[in-house]
Amino acid sequence: QGGLPRQPLPMPASLRPLIQLRTGGAYRVDDAGLALTLLAAPSQVGGWTAIVGVDDLGVEAALESGLDLDRTVLVPNPGEDWLEATAALVDVVPVVLLRPPHAVAAGTAARLGARLRKRAATLFVQGNWPGAEATLGVSEQRWYGAGAGHGRLTSRRVIVSCERGSAP
């Protein structure tokens, strides 16, 4: 109530048949590469993004996924102020990726959820998140490029799974 209308979030074409993500919601993402791919889609159409609590972000991988680092706010180690940092960013950045340092209470998730709806922002969370609208993860993967113990990995093909509540 009192929030902005929930709009479709830009998404990679390969994921559109699986689910349509919307602004104003929180989504759990169980794979770092998938999280970067989801973050890159809004970034590629000129949107700002933020990454909070991901202290091992592979900047080269983020660039290769299509994330525009010139329009990305990085807060790699907010410490115990992770919630305040995330809430402040949700006020000004439409898409935020968060890796909380510990389990999140349902009340905390609900308060941040209200802020997401009010600001029409979207939160991707690596880790448990009470009340997440959906959980996206990689159920199968295959790497390409490396030979028998030598060479460079060139690509990864994945099967993405999506769970809404108890319905896969």
Side-chain angles (χ1 to χ4, degrees), residues 22-133:
R22 298 203 168 272
T23 60
Y27 300 91
R28 181 177 167 192
V29 183
D30 289 341
D31 180 81
L34 178 58
L36 287 175
T37 299
L38 291 168
L39 210 59
S43 173
Q44 291 169 351
V45 295
W48 278 84
T49 60
I51 302 173
V52 179
V54 182
D55 60 355
D56 60 350
L57 176 70
V59 176
E60 188 173 336
L63 283 170
E64 287 182 11
S65 73
L67 187 63
D68 181 355
L69 292 179
D70 289 335
R71 299 178 65 82
T72 300
V73 178
L74 299 175
V75 185
N77 191 3
E80 289 303 312
D81 296 323
W82 68 270
L83 181 59
E84 290 81 5
T86 303
L89 285 166
V90 161
D91 284 346
V92 295
V93 178
V95 183
V96 177
L97 170 62
L98 167 67
R99 185 187 297 159
H102 49 71
V104 176
T108 300
R111 284 190 299 280
L112 193 54
R115 192 176 217 137
L116 292 169
R117 289 186 296 280
K118 183 176 181 180
R119 301 293 187 196
T122 305
L123 181 68
F124 295 120
V125 181
Q126 286 186 289
N128 289 328
W129 192 259
E133 292 188 26

